[in-house]
Amino acid sequence: MSRDPVPGLLFRATELLEAEFAALPAFESAGVTDTGAMAKVLAATARRLGDNYPYFHPLYAGQMLKPPHQVARAAYALAMKINPNNHARDGGRASSEMEIEAVRGIAGMFGWAESESGFLGHLTSIGTLANLEALWVAGQLAPGRRIVGSEQAHYTHRRISAVLKIEYADIPADRRGCMRVEALEAELRKGDVGTVVVTLGTTAIGAVDPLDAILELRQRYGFRVHVDAAYGGYFRLIPEALEEPAQRAYAVTDGADSIVIDPHKHGLQPYGCGCVLFRDPGVGRFYKHDSPYTYFTSQQLHLGEISLECSRAGAAAVALWATQQLLPLTPGGTFACGLAQGRAAALELDRRLRGEARCEPLACGAPELDIVVWKLRAETAERASELAQKTFVACATRDLHLALVQLPLSWFEPEGTELSKNGAGMVTCLRSVLMKPEHKAWLDRIWERLTAACADVAGA
Ligand SMILES: Cc1ncc(COP(=O)(O)O)c(C=O)c1O
């Protein structure tokens, strides 16, 4: 494995940070300071962590797991010296400013940073919390009205709605995994829909809901549009690498009322970094509260005043800020090119699968983002599911780590054809999220292992 530059970077940056506080009188740390004892515990920690899939390696091509950038890891660890809390400026003065700047960078990607009316946004600990905040605000703006989302929307939307005590309904998806616009319109005609959750990049297959068509319906039926781009948000930077209709959906994200994006998915951040954005900064009024303990050190906005969470890791903001300094969110920039490489790897894997007799990719065509799914060809769904399980294991024995997903069988039957007898059922498929830039260069090695595993399973 190549040498990790983070310890060296961190060493130098720690010296600089310590120099910032050099004028303070020296003090002895209390507690266990025996470095030999700590080294022993850390050696045991490293051994324990070895019992993981190698998420950082290009041969890990399974779930949505992307290693944080080295600068993000170093900045996060550096911030640990301070351990700031971005609830209030009392607990994280510099890191609150860094959060505001980093969030402005993300809003800029969606076309909101320069808008005259401004926007409101902040980081959250996870995407689910960010979605909860967006739906909480939506519920207050449309009391008594329902929330609807595609049946392929993340499962947490239904659960969040239950927590908020707002009725939630599924809208059927088509064979591309996208929300059916005509089914949505039928639901809107009932007159009680307050919010539509639009997913740009579904968890299962990276499907992109038709945001453009849904925004048109909003003009007729009047509802709030919440975009869950927790996974797919950053693809807004590479429209040229996408196909229609996904391209059209990404072109109109500025028309949404709220957007969620997870820097801890595609944004090269350690876990603990979601983000919610509101087009209308006026929704800040719903967050209004008094805190008898904080908000004393500055008249400026404290992020706790516009966030449902109280304590939040300032280190998450520091890591994101540092990453965006190094890799600005600009079309054509290094960050955008990295995304495009993962997307190119996904298209290439899909192309090869279409020439492989044992495999059956989605009937609708190539992936919309960078997630590839395919079933194994077999007489029955049960047998195809069994083959997928076996191939998953056979790949792992070759150090290639894929994921499994349950999908409707109908997605493997061409649109317009009569569904076969079993078409309504589900089948276990293989799934590969190719979200690392390195996946492109490693595709031959991934393919070699996959085809060998398929051959093994077929011959068994
Ligand atoms: C589309 C989508 N929305 C929301 C979430 C939830 O995000 P988190 O796991 O950060 O809470 C996910 C997670 O995979 C997702 O893919």
Side-chain angles (χ1 to χ4, degrees):
M1 219 166 15
S2 58
R3 204 178 159 79
D4 188 344
V6 171
L9 289 167
L10 190 54
F11 180 78
R12 175 78 189 119
T14 303
E15 282 182 336
L16 291 172
L17 179 55
E18 283 173 349
E20 291 289 321
F21 295 97
L24 288 171
F27 74 104
E28 291 297 322
S29 281
V32 179
T33 54
D34 175 351
T35 50
M38 286 193 267
K40 229 164 129 185
V41 171
L42 280 175
T45 309
R47 282 195 298 275
R48 288 296 292 268
L49 286 174
D51 181 25
N52 262 312
Y53 290 115
Y55 305 113
F56 52 85
H57 196 280
L59 284 177
Y60 185 86
Q63 306 281 2
M64 288 174 176
L65 292 155
K66 186 172 181 172
H69 194 277
Q70 290 148 347
V71 82
R73 280 171 52 209
Y76 197 103
L78 182 66
M80 283 298 95
K81 185 103 186 150
I82 309 276
N83 195 22
N85 181 339
N86 274 12
H87 163 60
R89 289 181 191 245
D90 315 34
R93 201 160 53 214
S95 51
S96 291
E97 267 315 306
M98 289 159 115
E99 175 166 341
I100 290 166
E101 290 172 33
V103 169
R104 194 181 305 127
I106 294 178
M109 183 171 73
F110 292 112
W112 284 358
E114 304 307 328
S115 104
E116 248 170 51
S117 52
F119 70 95
L120 195 77
H122 59 273
L123 300 182
T124 58
S125 52
I126 49 170
T128 303
L129 243 304
N131 277 320
L132 181 138
E133 292 202 17
L135 296 186
W136 172 70
V137 165
Q140 304 207 52
L141 285 164
R145 294 165 86 86
R146 290 185 300 148
I147 297 175
V148 300
S150 147
E151 61 188 359
Q152 287 294 311
H154 198 260
Y155 76 91
T156 45
H157 289 289
R158 177 177 285 281
R159 203 149 74 161
I160 290 167
S161 303
V163 169
L164 296 172
K165 298 201 175 354
I166 304 174
E167 204 182 318
Y168 182 92
D170 278 338
I171 305 293
D174 61 21
R175 294 184 204 196
R176 294 172 305 130
C178 304
M179 188 190 288
R180 282 186 187 275
V181 177
E182 73 288 356
L184 171 63
E185 186 159 13
E187 205 63 28
L188 293 171
R189 278 199 210 100
K190 296 180 184 167
D192 63 347
V193 172
T195 305
V196 177
V197 175
V198 181
T199 307
L200 298 189
T202 59
T203 316
I205 68 163
V208 177
D209 282 342
L211 178 60
D212 47 326
I214 295 169
L215 288 176
E216 275 174 31
L217 286 179
R218 182 176 65 179
Q219 291 181 2
R220 228 169 316 146
Y221 294 94
F223 50 85
R224 213 172 149 77
V225 172
H226 170 57
V227 168
D228 179 357
Y231 183 72
Y234 289 99
F235 284 89
R236 161 93 179 177
L237 290 175
I238 54 164
E240 70 290 346
L242 306 181
E243 300 290 330
E244 295 291 7
Q247 229 176 40
R248 278 203 304 277
Y250 276 95
V252 293
T253 50
D254 56 337
D257 295 295
S258 51
I259 301 176
V260 159
I261 178 168
D262 268 356
H264 70 198
K265 290 194 170 62
H266 250 309
L268 297 167
Q269 295 311 296
Y271 281 111
C273 197
C275 178
V276 61
L277 301 168
F278 297 97
R279 183 154 53 100
D280 172 13
V283 302
R285 67 186 180 279
F286 294 119
Y287 287 91
K288 204 159 172 44
H289 65 281
D290 284 326
S291 162
Y293 333 101
T294 47
Y295 308 152
F296 294 116
T297 58
S298 170
Q299 293 304 311
Q300 287 174 293
L301 176 76
H302 299 267
L303 289 163
E305 294 179 281
I306 55 156
S307 164
L308 280 189
E309 293 175 84
C310 182
S311 294
R312 284 178 313 114
V318 172
L320 183 63
W321 181 89
T323 309
Q324 290 179 193
Q325 291 292 303
L326 186 74
L327 303 167
L329 301 177
T330 43
T334 307
F335 177 83
C337 291
L339 269 184
Q341 279 175 300
R343 160 108 179 114
L347 289 180
E348 178 57 18
L349 176 59
D350 181 76
R351 189 190 67 76
R352 292 186 190 193
L353 286 165
R354 285 175 199 279
E356 174 64 48
R358 294 190 184 98
C359 299
E360 213 179 333
L362 290 175
C364 65
E368 291 198 277
L369 300 180
D370 56 1
I371 303 177
V372 187
V373 291
W374 66 100
K375 75 186 264 297
L376 277 300
R377 223 176 272 283
E379 284 294 298
T380 63
E382 290 70 29
R383 179 72 184 139
S385 297
E386 197 185 311
L387 288 175
Q389 287 279 359
K390 287 187 171 161
T391 309
F392 171 76
V393 173
C395 285
T397 61
R398 291 175 163 78
D399 285 331
L400 172 63
H401 301 284
L402 302 175
L404 293 165
V405 62
Q406 289 257 310
L407 297 175
L409 261 176
S410 60
W411 289 9
F412 298 90
E413 302 190 358
E415 190 91 47
T417 58
E418 189 82 359
L419 281 186
S420 65
K421 204 160 75 269
N422 292 327
M426 302 291 277
V427 60
T428 307
C429 303
L430 286 160
R431 169 169 168 266
S432 179
V433 183
L434 292 166
M435 63 195 303
K436 294 174 203 141
E438 296 85 358
H439 277 141
K440 186 160 176 257
W442 276 73
L443 200 74
D444 283 342
R445 284 166 279 192
I446 290 173
W447 184 248
E448 210 175 274
R449 285 166 171 80
L450 173 61
T451 46
C454 284
D456 272 5
V457 169

